[in-house]
Amino acid sequence: MTLDDLPTPCLVLDLGVLRRNLAMMEAAVARFPGLRLRPHLKTAKSRAVAELAAPGHGPITVSTLAEARYFAEGGWRDQIYAVGITPAKLDAVAALNAAGAAVKVITDDVEAARAIAAHPGPVTALVEVDVGEARGGVAPDSPALPAIAAMLGPRLAGVLSHSGHSYSGRSVADMAAIAESERRGIVTAAERLRAAGHAVPVVSLGSSPTALHAERMDGVTEVRAGVYMFGDLFQAQLATHPAEDIAVTVLASVIGRRPERNTLLLDAGALALSKDRSTQAAPRDWGFGRVLDLDGAPLPGEALVARAYQEHGEVQADAPLPFDRLPVGARLRVLPNHSCLTAAAHDRYHVVDDGREVVAVWDRVNGW
Amino acid sequence: MTLDDLPTPCLVLDLGVLRRNLAMMEAAVARFPGLRLRPHLKTAKSRAVAELAAPGHGPITVSTLAEARYFAEGGWRDQIYAVGITPAKLDAVAALNAAGAAVKVITDDVEAARAIAAHPGPVTALVEVDVGEARGGVAPDSPALPAIAAMLGPRLAGVLSHSGHSYSGRSVADMAAIAESERRGIVTAAERLRAAGHAVPVVSLGSSPTALHAERMDGVTEVRAGVYMFGDLFQAQLATHPAEDIAVTVLASVIGRRPERNTLLLDAGALALSKDRSTQAAPRDWGFGRVLDLDGAPLPGEALVARAYQEHGEVQADAPLPFDRLPVGARLRVLPNHSCLTAAAHDRYHVVDDGREVVAVWDRVNGW
């Protein structure tokens, strides 16, 4: 099977690019002796990718209970489920842990901490700390921080932050500054809790850009990152991911041609690409994705998917499209704006390795 | 099982609302004796919904080969696969037809028509006609129209149009005008082909708004519509779908509370809601969805999901949110901007009927 034969639309993963991306992050983390990488599998949602990104069933991060189960059953026991827990989800986590896993949950809420402390099964939790993203978490200097820790008592496993606001940076210097601010925030939180008598074994922070460009990691025990595995058109514009190393593309077929309007229709629309418009606020807006030929070379005129209907994507370009080699049925590839969301539209990866031959098919765990 | 027990996030379908929506469309089509309704199952992707929307295995429309297979195996033989066909997909269609189905494809391309005419298996096709949407299709007066029909020869099944541009209308009068323009276009195309000696048994048009508000259907044999089954926050602002009759919601749990910012975090983010922003250009922008309580009453202050991360949705409102009854773990429901895309994020429906009890679980066919 090759890219010429696969039914379209479908998701293609380039193994060589994936390996380069993993090596880039491993090298970044290896700058800091003793620092552990806990890859976030929310992007890849694949055991085959986890075998490369967290070899030897190393520590991982997950974003759903479905991922927690799938990876635990695959042998990845040491997990952080990094989305604020609800009391109703504790039974599922405790069941995994009773069966041998060590899935740690996170919370920023005293009442949720009370439910964790009172749960009859084995559950431990990290306190989520807000280091500037203003999404989840308590501030490092908040009175809620010691209150939650006290409520958790011996079930406190550590502190955790996510610097998603790094996505608004645009240079390596921006990323380094945000990384240092995150580091100071999470270490401050850990030291406050230690001063109050708690053991704080895990001090966990992360985001792909800050993991790559942090200049200091003192006081941090582990770093989490996920999107670096695949990269995407948005990450490539943060000055942190190589633009040529986006590992996933959507394989699509031409289903319509309009030479008089210089447009093409593809069979990859909103469902195959997602409606993510991350690059809308980036220096270069790639619509719903950048269009490449079957071998990965960009089409002329910065061709992109400008309109996305449920199953149709309309390609537009600033230069004449090569209609002579693009009959109905011709195949193209689309780079994603946001690889986490595009990959989630598909249930498997068709793996290639620097060519058109499909060398493997890897599953994914979608849903909740 | 009730809405209080379901794991979140998940998709809820209200059967009473679905039935009202189906009755509304049936009544609209019944105004025109002899006109056939061919429901589009791209929104629901569910045999259980098809049993209500196309009872007795009536004619249906599909948007993927996966839907074509799933519904053919369920007994719905008379289908139009209403996305421009590629030669590589003809084998799959012909195999279904050889097994007893009658899946008709569509094309607007002479070379694709040549492949259809030459295919060894049973395949027939409608010519796609552009009646103003400027997506797929040839213009009713285009020289390509008779050329494609001539290429198809005896495999010509009819003509088909889609008036997706009706989505830019905002009143019943707008919809009626667009519907009449669509009708004139598709009937013109049919008459041209008949004058050239072709039988044109099927003259198919549609979109939910124009199907509901067309004033004439002379010359049309069937109407296609899909999103009317569920409705959504966008359709409700076209003055064509009742705002209280949106049949699907995403059930979510509170996972974070910020009374000082008057925000909540839900466990329904970009993956559970989709990143569709259809209402951005509508009179009322509902962000990533409108937030209701568990029984379907809107939260105060026109509460909506303002920010969508992969697994987090941030609720904002113009009035104080009722934090006293919204602890972590409390359940809310989110109305979708675009029900086709939100439903596609889920693999099943949890069906309720005017209450919290889950009376059925219905599957869906996602992917391609």
Side-chain angles (χ1 to χ4, degrees), chain A residues 42 89 108 137 258 267 310, chain B residues 42 89 137 258 267 310:
Chain A
K42 81 186 182 83
K89 292 174 182 168
D108 63 1
R258 289 289 171 283
D267 62 0
Q310 183 163 343
Chain B
K42 79 186 182 86
K89 292 174 182 170
R258 288 290 170 284
D267 61 1
Q310 182 162 341

Side-chain angles (χ1 to χ4, degrees), chain A residues 115-185:
Chain A
I116 293 164
H119 195 276
V123 194
T124 63
L126 297 93
V127 183
E128 186 177 11
V129 178
D130 181 5
V131 293
E133 185 185 29
R135 184 176 74 181
V138 295
D141 60 357
S142 159
L145 176 68
I148 296 167
M151 186 64 79
L152 290 171
R155 292 193 161 187
L156 174 70
V159 290
L160 172 143
S161 64
H162 171 55
S163 48
H165 55 306
S166 65
Y167 289 15
S168 63
R170 285 291 177 275
S171 68
V172 169
D174 287 350
M175 299 306 164
I178 294 166
E180 176 56 13
S181 146
E182 175 177 29
R183 187 196 69 80
R184 277 199 310 269

Side-chain angles (χ1 to χ4, degrees), chain B residues 199-360:
Chain B
V200 185
V202 177
V203 181
S204 178
L205 55 64
S207 79
S208 289
T210 57
L212 287 169
H213 296 292
E215 291 171 350
R216 295 179 59 190
M217 284 287 182
D218 325 29
V220 176
T221 67
E222 63 173 47
V223 59
R224 305 181 325 284
V227 72
Y228 73 94
M229 297 181 200
F230 293 169
D232 55 37
L233 291 165
F234 178 73
Q235 294 290 329
Q237 296 188 64
L238 302 187
T240 69
H241 193 92
E244 66 279 16
D245 278 351
I246 299 175
V248 289
T249 46
V250 174
L251 181 68
S253 295
V254 173
I255 59 169
R257 297 153 39 85
R258 288 290 170 284
E260 71 281 10
R261 292 203 296 259
N262 197 39
T263 64
L264 289 167
L265 284 179
L266 300 181
D267 61 1
L271 287 188
L273 300 172
S274 97
K275 290 203 82 166
D276 190 276
R277 290 282 289 111
S278 296
T279 62
Q280 191 165 25
R284 181 64 171 87
D285 182 350
W286 288 110
F288 295 94
R290 182 173 195 182
V291 182
L292 313 177
D293 70 17
L294 197 51
D295 296 313
L299 286 202
E302 312 250 281
L304 52 76
V305 177
R307 299 201 290 178
Y309 308 86
Q310 182 162 341
E311 296 293 347
H312 301 71
E314 186 181 274
V315 179
Q316 298 180 5
D318 295 334
L321 290 166
F323 286 96
D324 54 336
R325 56 183 173 96
L326 294 173
V328 167
R331 281 147 186 265
L332 295 168
R333 292 165 74 177
V334 184
L335 288 170
N337 272 333
H338 185 172
S339 59
C340 309
L341 292 190
T342 300
H346 300 265
D347 63 1
R348 74 197 77 172
Y349 299 95
H350 302 276
V351 183
V352 297
D353 195 2
D354 248 345
R356 294 190 185 183
E357 190 190 350
V358 179
V359 298

